[in-house]
Amino acid sequence: MCVSRAVLPLILRAMRYLDYAATTPVLPEVTDAMVAVLTGDFGNPSSVHAYGRAAREIVEDARDRVASAVGASPAEIVFTAGGTEADNLAIKGATRKLRGNGNHVITTAFEHHAVLDTVEWLGHDEFETTVLPVGPDGLVDPAAVAAAVRPSTILVSIMAVNNEIGTAQPLAEIARAVKGANPSTLVHTDAVQMLGNLPVNVHELGLDFAAFSAHKFGGPKGVGFLFARSHAPVEALLHGGGHEGGLRSGTLNVPGLAGLGVAAEIAAKEVDHKIERVGGLRTRLWQGIEDSIERVRLNGHPTERVPGTLNVSFEGADGETLLLLFDAAGIACSAGSACQSGAIDPSHVLLAIGVPREIAKGSVRFSLGRESTDEDVDAVLEVLPGIVESARRVG
Ligand SMILES: Cc1ncc(COP(=O)(O)O)c(C=O)c1O
């Protein structure tokens, strides 16, 4: 075993985790549910015998829990291998099914790449795509969305909560505006950062599709689901044994789904408490940053946001340097979306809301969550002035 592998657990024990938007620790209740399945219920849920029936019960129990966490009916849940797959299924699946009815798709400039790249991919085919701009506060204007809808628009995909800046969109208004402009246009939202951070009711929001991912709310990685409104037109991307009502073939990840169900239920149950407690921590962190550092800006809307995510630009500092210095000081945070960490280019989200390139490069996302404490906030505020000063000297 190399030395770094040996000491890493010790380093991790001493660190403070402020990267909940990248992923969350698995809840103990989730681990228990998964271990029980891994050690006791190895059956294939498609088998007819008792082993299969036991596994099927676990899957359907997870479906019930997930459906009730988002205000859907169990038949409207399609299990996937995470948020990326759920986004792809909604966007590619719906447009494929409806391509005789139109060829126009709308999204926004600050979507996660799971949506942005999928829509761009459609554009290489026979589809016309509109990528709407986003306001400087990170909000999408429902009237601007409605104005972009055409008779040929078959799908609008606008994220519920931005993963980098935490801004929450007026989803119900957007869905209403879209349907008002063209009642047959479908509305999809990437809700990966929503469950556990805001109350979710997909029907009250007027959605046709919504994508979710377990690892963002205390569940395991590689498991998620798509809400597809009853009778919403969608075609399968994966073909095979016809699982999930023919929409997603492949033997189901039973332990993962057991974990997903428990995590979704807890996330929905605790959301109000989390908004209050974690929101308070985030406010204190931002006030501390504003009080101690000059030339800082908060990215995203000041109030229309999820409780834990705080994106801050430190003018004159380099984001990569800031991250490395925070890491060395025992604080795990992020320069933007996790998938882009390591890339030198400034975040497409910050550029989309009009943050100048040079300032965008000096941005850090702190994201707090269920296990975050006052001590985590204190730890950041204690090392922050020294770190920003050093990063500004470098760059
Ligand atoms: C907004 C958003 N959409 C989609 C994804 C992708 O989800 P998954 O990691 O489950 O594929 C993420 C993950 O970072 C995300 O934050």
Side-chain angles (χ1 to χ4, degrees):
M1 189 191 288
C2 73
V3 177
S4 65
R5 284 283 299 267
V7 298
L8 207 46
L10 298 174
I11 294 174
L12 289 177
R13 227 172 291 150
M15 288 210 52
R16 297 195 176 268
Y17 188 73
L18 283 91
D19 205 10
Y20 278 77
T23 197
T24 58
V26 176
L27 301 177
E29 297 90 328
V30 169
T31 308
D32 289 348
M34 293 180 70
V35 169
V37 176
L38 283 165
T39 53
D41 295 287
F42 66 89
N44 184 328
S46 299
S47 301
V48 173
H49 50 62
Y51 292 97
R53 292 201 306 276
R56 173 54 62 185
E57 238 176 69
I58 292 163
V59 169
E60 296 314 321
D61 175 65
R63 201 184 305 280
D64 289 347
R65 289 175 196 244
V66 155
S68 102
V70 301
S73 77
E76 295 174 313
I77 302 299
V78 184
F79 289 129
T80 64
T84 301
E85 188 192 326
D87 280 326
N88 272 262
L89 178 55
I91 297 168
K92 292 178 182 165
T95 51
R96 202 178 166 84
K97 189 84 174 179
L98 291 177
R99 64 181 172 194
N101 301 9
N103 68 340
H104 181 228
V105 177
I106 298 174
T107 192
T108 74
F110 78 156
E111 300 290 315
H112 189 276
H113 283 288
V115 168
L116 211 48
D117 292 13
T118 306
V119 171
E120 190 186 316
W121 181 84
L122 287 178
H124 300 316
D125 209 353
E126 77 261 41
F127 288 95
E128 286 178 21
T129 61
T130 298
V131 180
L132 291 172
V134 186
D137 53 5
L139 287 181
V140 177
D141 176 8
V145 182
V149 172
R150 310 172 187 169
S152 61
T153 308
I154 48 181
L155 182 77
V156 172
S157 180
I158 294 180
M159 71 194 314
V161 172
N162 185 273
N163 48 306
E164 295 192 34
I165 57 177
T167 307
Q169 298 304 323
L171 263 192
E173 276 177 54
I174 291 173
R176 249 196 320 272
V178 170
K179 302 285 180 184
N182 182 348
S184 54
T185 302
L186 299 174
V187 179
H188 168 59
T189 191
D190 176 338
V192 166
Q193 297 281 342
M194 192 181 193
L195 185 52
N197 287 322
L198 291 174
V200 184
N201 187 310
V202 287
H203 286 294
E204 281 177 10
L205 290 169
L207 302 168
D208 296 296
F209 300 106
F212 299 87
S213 175
H215 75 103
K216 305 293 185 176
F217 50 85
K221 292 166 186 58
V223 192
F225 64 97
L226 178 69
F227 156 73
R229 181 184 47 75
S230 181
H231 306 303
V234 59
E235 211 167 291
L237 306 183
L238 298 182
H239 300 93
H243 307 76
E244 295 296 276
L247 282 180
R248 204 276 185 178
S249 286
T251 302
L252 289 161
N253 174 358
V254 185
L257 294 179
L260 163 66
V262 171
E265 189 173 84
I266 294 173
K269 196 172 75 191
E270 293 186 347
V271 69
D272 291 337
H273 174 68
K274 185 171 166 193
I275 289 171
E276 202 173 312
R277 196 187 75 81
V278 177
L281 292 177
R282 185 209 63 220
T283 302
R284 196 162 79 74
L285 178 58
W286 169 238
Q287 280 166 355
I289 293 173
E290 233 189 345
D291 289 348
S292 59
I293 311 289
E294 285 180 354
R295 293 187 292 139
V296 288
R297 66 182 270 173
L298 171 73
N299 296 314
H301 198 280
T303 54
E304 297 301 313
R305 55 193 306 117
V306 288
T309 303
L310 183 69
N311 191 307
V312 183
S313 294
F314 299 94
E315 275 180 46
D318 170 66
E320 292 295 318
T321 309
L322 287 167
L323 280 198
L324 291 174
L325 292 172
F326 275 119
D327 187 41
I331 288 159
C333 49
S334 161
S337 68
C339 334
Q340 289 172 336
S341 295
I344 296 153
D345 280 348
S347 136
H348 74 283
V349 171
L350 297 181
L351 296 182
I353 62 168
V355 179
R357 250 187 133 69
E358 277 319 303
I359 295 179
K361 275 186 172 179
S363 304
V364 173
R365 178 185 71 185
F366 303 101
S367 50
L368 301 153
R370 188 179 188 265
E371 292 78 17
S372 299
T373 60
D374 273 309
E375 290 72 33
D376 294 332
V377 173
D378 293 339
V380 174
L381 294 177
E382 192 183 328
V383 297
L384 186 72
I387 286 179
V388 174
E389 199 192 321
S390 305
R392 279 179 172 158
R393 248 186 271 127
V394 175

